[in-house]
Amino acid sequence: MKTGSIWTILGVVIAVAIAWFLVEALFSIMWVIAKLGAVALVAVIVYVLLHRFLDRAGRD
């Protein structure tokens, strides 16, 4: 086996390892962003429902 092909194989392995790490980090960040979006949406819905309920209770 030539020295050039060993470096090629080593380069491919390193590239795959770096790509694996970057994709893992990207998916973690995307999951956190999606989770924050879901929490914000639920918080807005709960706020609107509480506001309507308390406004109606104050009129009685």
Side-chain angles (χ1 to χ4, degrees):
M1 197 178 242
K2 293 183 182 179
T3 306
S5 59
I6 292 173
W7 284 112
T8 302
I9 292 171
L10 186 63
V12 168
V13 169
I14 291 172
V16 168
I18 291 171
W20 189 279
F21 172 76
L22 290 175
V23 168
E24 191 74 27
L26 181 66
F27 279 139
S28 295
I29 292 169
M30 286 171 38
W31 174 244
V32 168
I33 291 171
K35 208 172 184 181
L36 286 174
V39 168
L41 179 66
V42 170
V44 167
I45 292 171
V46 168
Y47 173 78
V48 168
L49 291 176
L50 283 174
H51 189 65
R52 285 185 184 175
F53 175 74
L54 293 175
D55 190 39
R56 195 178 313 155
R59 290 186 200 170
D60 293 339

